[in-house]
Amino acid sequence: MSQFFNALVSKGFFGKRIRNGVHMFSLILFVVVIVCSVSNLLVPEQSIFYVSTYTITLLGKYLCFALLALSVDVVWGYCGVLSLGHGAFFALGGYGMGMYLMRQVGDRGVYGNPDLPDFMVFLDWTELPWYWFGMDQFWFAIAMAIFIPGLLAFVFGWLAFRSRVTGVYLSIMTQALTYALMLAFFRNEMGFGGNNGLTDFKEILHFDLQSNETRVGLFFLSALVLIIALLLSQKIMKSRFGRVVISIRDGESRARFLGYVTDHYKVALFVYSAVLAAFAGVLYVPQVGIINPSEFSPINSIEVVVWVAVGGRGTLYGAAVGALLVNYAKTKFTAVLPDGWLFALGALFVGVTLYLPNGIVGFFEQRISFLKGDSSRELDSFEVKDKKSVSEVEV
Amino acid sequence: MSENYGQRGLWRRDRVWSFLEPRAREVDVSRNVILYIEGVTVNFDGFKALNDLNLYINDGELRCLIGANGAGKTTLMDVITGKTQCNQGSVYFGQTINLLEHSEPEIARLGIGRKFQKPTVFEVHTVYENLELSLKTYKGVWYTLSAKLSMEEMDYIDEVLNIIGLEKHRYQVAGALSHGEKQWLEIGMLLAAEPRLLLIDEPVAGMTPQETERTAELLTSLAGDHTVVVVEHDMEFVRSIARTVTVLHQGSVLAEGSMEAIQNNPDVIEVYLGDQP
């Protein structure tokens, strides 16, 4: 197991350079989203070109997952920091949004209390806890939903990276982080709805959450945020900052001896990544209509890592592709064989690790450059080396 | 280290309190010595990797360190570059800079470059990018987000490429270079950082004779402008470049002098060849 882990964390595994698939992917995504939106809003329901609202919401959810996968790829693919706790930042962002949506319910809840959410009335709370104040303001709630995960990532990253915790140990710590948060949020005394979480939302910014228009709007917004995040991440990774980050991944002590304070770079990147994950959570919650502590569960975060591995590490858009594909497969698979999904996921992960070390995107990029014949030989030699190192480790 | 600080750092009358001095500053070589290593002991769970070691390196000289495996050569480099804390002793860079108070990146920015035993270049970056990352410039997070190469920096990179003889490979991925080329690239990366002191660990291990010869030329040409300390096993190579050789044995200096004197030194002969009739 630990050898398998090492294979994942080891540097020989990455080695993809940035190509411009990001622009292509963003363009395709944009077109698809426009087409879907138009087909939902303007095409009559009987037409075969009609896209149901259910599909729109489902796709919107996938796009949030794609953004989450992107956030993991930024730290894992480029800096070699395998975080198994990014679900925590996602869920915290989601809770921030959930708190806002809860306050928007107002006196339309089951108990009709204008200030207190239903679960607080149910628990006989008489007044709003201090950390709920201001969450009825949209801008404040969003600011908090982004700031709190960012702050957590900063504190966690500062402590972990300064003490030079790396590799498997760091992964275990991130997992412990999200697990601890899950246990905390399960408690009713925390004031976040305990086991049931936050749900029964009515409207966002006075738009009805159930209406087609709002759902398409949220779907469109998710796509837009994903595209912006992709382009921004690409810009960052193509700057000298990005090159330093890759250098830290491949030779941290070398980077240190060149005069880079590597902890600062890692913390900065980790915070950026956590903010992306938080945005994903913020967009996710109004679309699925619920946020509960199970979002913190370590298995969710591990799934994200699988998406990234399937799509292709260190390519940015590969993570998004992986998230979309795996989630589509999950939706189809769980409809047929609900209990088998985790086995399928595990098999997928092992299969991809063994046979597609650069993920789906990496595989196709390789084929394309091979067909073009203009490929740099150097990269090919890397692939060979990758395969060798993986099989050696597996044996 | 704290004891050391109290006795020597704070109460030395010839020196301003160290915390009053700026942390990054020019190295003061007015006494012609660039590196003072005095009484350094490193203790790894009872094993003394360095044992009361004293070594002085002059500004601009090319010094070779030799010694058997476990003599403490690499540990000494670790101590100088801030990777390993020493239990006793002091390490000064020039007259004023106490290296023991600085972290690895700070020491690198003060002007000490280090080449590892195994060639360590960033394999997925091109040769050019490797040199760009090594340039002597700001290394902060915010600066690198928007950093662009200036004309002078480009010229300097070209100059370094010229010195290490990799002009033709400038846009090649560093991972595709041969072993010897990687070693040169790493030396080039040190040069790009414009260091005062270069610490080079086994530069010719695994090189062909031709490559070794070129490396020898490269290192001798660097001495003078830079101070170069080379750790090496290959005696032929040491003979071809060395002016002064220091022999380490069991964590302390056994002998120091010209290559000829070293070879005739009875202590060295005994350690290297055992008891001879």
Side-chain angles (χ1 to χ4, degrees):
Chain A
M1 179 65 195
S2 76
Q3 286 178 337
F4 187 67
F5 238 74
N6 282 337
L8 289 176
V9 184
S10 81
K11 62 174 185 184
F13 228 60
F14 308 93
K16 265 267 133 254
R17 292 175 56 74
I18 308 164
R19 308 272 178 78
N20 228 344
V22 169
H23 289 161
M24 184 103 88
F25 177 81
S26 304
L27 193 69
I28 294 172
L29 180 66
F30 193 71
V31 172
V32 169
V33 165
I34 294 278
V35 169
C36 285
S37 306
V38 169
S39 316
N40 178 265
L41 293 176
L42 301 181
V43 175
E45 262 181 61
Q46 300 81 359
S47 162
I48 51 163
F49 295 110
Y50 176 73
V51 175
S52 71
T53 307
Y54 169 76
T55 314
I56 290 284
T57 305
L58 200 62
L59 289 178
K61 203 173 97 174
Y62 293 171
L63 290 178
C64 296
F65 287 149
L67 183 56
L68 177 58
L70 172 67
S71 77
V72 171
D73 190 29
V74 165
V75 284
W76 187 33
Y78 289 90
C79 201
V81 175
L82 175 54
S83 165
L84 296 179
H86 258 55
F89 306 122
F90 177 79
L92 281 175
Y95 264 99
M97 186 56 157
M99 286 162 87
Y100 163 73
L101 295 173
M102 246 7 219
R103 295 298 310 272
Q104 280 280 296
V105 173
D107 56 7
R108 283 163 297 177
V110 180
Y111 298 105
N113 190 315
D115 285 330
L116 294 186
D118 277 351
F119 71 88
M120 289 188 190
V121 182
F122 181 74
L123 291 172
D124 280 338
W125 292 29
T126 50
E127 57 179 24
L128 217 52
W130 60 268
Y131 45 84
W132 276 76
F133 281 111
M135 296 307 268
D136 52 336
Q137 299 292 318
F138 184 73
W139 65 269
F140 183 76
I142 298 298
M144 280 297 126
I146 304 304
F147 176 73
I148 297 295
L151 183 70
L152 178 68
F154 180 78
V155 172
F156 180 85
W158 182 256
L159 294 174
F161 297 134
R162 249 175 64 95
S163 336
R164 300 197 178 169
V165 181
T166 50
V168 186
Y169 303 101
L170 188 86
S171 304
I172 292 171
M173 273 171 63
T174 54
Q175 201 161 19
L177 171 79
T178 190
Y179 193 69
L181 281 170
M182 180 178 78
L183 294 183
F185 274 75
F186 262 126
R187 293 161 56 87
N188 280 328
E189 302 91 281
M190 278 288 280
F192 293 107
N195 197 5
N196 298 323
L198 310 174
T199 186
D200 287 334
F201 309 132
K202 302 282 187 252
E203 57 188 27
I204 178 169
L205 287 171
H206 302 296
F207 292 110
D208 182 10
L209 272 175
Q210 305 305 323
S211 78
N212 274 4
E213 288 78 11
T214 314
R215 293 193 159 228
V216 171
L218 284 167
F219 166 64
F220 190 78
L221 196 64
S222 306
L224 205 63
V225 172
L226 175 61
I227 290 173
I228 292 171
L230 273 170
L231 296 178
L232 182 65
S233 304
Q234 191 183 40
K235 195 161 168 40
I236 290 175
M237 289 311 165
K238 281 195 165 177
S239 71
R240 191 183 290 173
F241 175 88
R243 289 197 282 280
V244 174
V245 162
I246 292 175
S247 308
I248 292 171
R249 176 190 81 193
D250 290 349
E252 184 163 4
S253 56
R254 174 78 275 172
R256 243 185 236 134
F257 285 123
L258 285 180
Y260 293 100
V261 186
T262 55
D263 333 340
H264 293 185
Y265 281 84
K266 284 168 135 184
V267 171
L269 195 71
F270 199 64
V271 170
Y272 171 71
S273 161
V275 165
L276 287 187
F279 267 112
V282 165
L283 289 163
Y284 175 78
V285 167
Q287 299 191 66
V288 297
I290 182 168
I291 174 80
N292 63 31
S294 68
E295 293 294 341
F296 283 108
S297 74
I299 188 77
N300 283 18
S301 304
I302 294 172
E303 250 190 89
V304 183
V305 171
V306 180
W307 305 338
V308 178
V310 169
R313 254 155 313 201
T315 53
L316 299 176
Y317 73 106
V321 169
L324 298 177
L325 286 180
V326 175
N327 278 295
Y328 180 73
K330 183 181 184 178
T331 306
K332 290 289 160 199
F333 200 97
T334 44
V336 183
L337 197 65
D339 294 333
W341 170 244
L342 281 180
F343 293 99
L345 190 70
L348 186 69
F349 192 36
V350 174
V352 164
T353 314
L354 285 180
Y355 300 109
L356 291 177
N358 294 314
I360 295 172
V361 163
F363 177 77
F364 280 109
E365 273 189 355
Q366 222 176 309
R367 286 290 152 265
I368 288 169
S369 59
F370 182 74
L371 287 177
K372 276 186 187 164
D374 63 354
S375 118
S376 35
R377 291 261 170 264
E378 306 91 55
L379 280 179
D380 289 348
S381 70
F382 268 119
E383 305 326 341
V384 175
K385 218 164 66 187
D386 285 351
K387 266 192 193 133
K388 216 193 285 167
S389 69
V390 171
S391 54
E392 271 166 14
V393 170
E394 281 305 300
V395 169
Chain B
M1 210 184 109
S2 59
E3 177 191 76
N4 176 6
Y5 184 81
Q7 283 175 0
R8 301 178 71 175
L10 217 51
W11 301 119
R12 281 184 72 153
R13 301 186 65 180
D14 59 338
R15 205 158 273 170
V16 181
W17 288 329
S18 58
F19 55 80
L20 289 178
E21 294 183 68
R23 286 183 77 75
R25 59 211 133 115
E26 280 301 303
V27 51
D28 174 7
V29 287
S30 55
R31 298 278 184 270
N32 207 23
V33 176
I34 196 164
L35 191 66
Y36 299 80
I37 300 165
E38 291 173 341
V40 169
T41 300
V42 174
N43 209 330
F44 290 130
D45 292 329
F47 169 69
K48 283 189 173 168
L50 293 181
N51 190 4
D52 193 24
L53 182 129
N54 293 292
L55 185 66
Y56 303 91
I57 310 281
N58 290 330
D59 188 30
E61 85 170 309
L62 172 62
R63 176 75 67 99
C64 283
L65 289 182
I66 59 175
N69 284 329
K73 299 171 307 235
T74 304
T75 312
L76 177 60
M77 296 218 163
D78 285 346
V79 169
I80 297 170
T81 52
K83 193 178 172 200
T84 303
Q85 298 285 333
C86 65
N87 302 78
Q88 272 169 30
S90 67
V91 182
Y92 272 86
F93 186 43
Q95 297 282 309
T96 49
I97 302 171
N98 183 357
L99 288 181
L100 299 180
E101 289 170 358
H102 293 268
S103 68
E104 294 128 297
E106 282 172 346
I107 290 173
R109 286 195 298 251
L110 283 169
I112 298 184
R114 178 180 185 185
K115 200 195 106 33
F116 292 100
Q117 201 164 341
K118 220 177 80 187
T120 318
V121 296
F122 303 123
E123 303 213 332
V124 296
H125 291 318
T126 62
V127 169
Y128 199 84
E129 286 168 339
N130 267 287
L131 293 175
E132 178 201 346
L133 287 175
S134 320
L135 284 173
K136 182 183 185 178
T137 174
Y138 300 106
K139 307 255 164 125
V141 170
W142 293 112
Y143 177 78
T144 53
L145 267 173
S146 58
K148 289 256 161 23
L149 281 174
S150 69
M151 291 306 278
E152 295 83 47
E153 285 174 329
M154 286 182 194
D155 288 346
Y156 189 62
I157 291 180
D158 285 340
E159 198 184 316
V160 172
L161 278 170
N162 197 12
I163 295 173
I164 58 175
L166 293 178
E167 303 99 324
K168 280 192 211 127
H169 301 286
R170 65 170 62 204
Y171 296 122
Q172 204 170 14
V173 176
L177 296 176
S178 73
H179 176 79
E181 288 167 338
K182 280 184 196 166
Q183 299 272 33
W184 294 329
L185 175 57
E186 197 176 355
I187 294 173
M189 287 163 75
L190 302 190
L191 286 181
E194 298 173 49
R196 292 300 299 261
L197 175 63
L198 287 159
L199 304 173
I200 298 181
D201 206 348
E202 300 201 16
V204 296
M207 278 191 177
T208 62
Q210 291 86 348
E211 285 174 331
T212 306
E213 206 171 301
R214 274 202 60 190
T215 310
E217 280 169 24
L218 180 59
L219 292 180
T220 25
S221 72
L222 292 181
D225 292 340
H226 311 270
T227 310
V228 185
V229 177
V230 181
V231 167
E232 190 48 68
H233 276 303
D234 184 338
M235 283 306 172
E236 270 312 304
F237 179 72
V238 171
R239 197 169 293 126
S240 68
I241 62 168
R243 291 155 209 181
T244 319
V245 178
T246 302
V247 185
L248 295 188
H249 180 59
Q250 293 180 349
S252 22
V253 174
L254 183 70
E256 196 170 294
S258 71
M259 192 67 194
E260 225 160 80
I262 291 293
Q263 276 174 317
N264 297 323
N265 185 313
D267 292 339
V268 178
I269 293 172
E270 193 188 320
V271 166
Y272 264 80
L273 303 173
D275 287 327
Q276 294 243 314

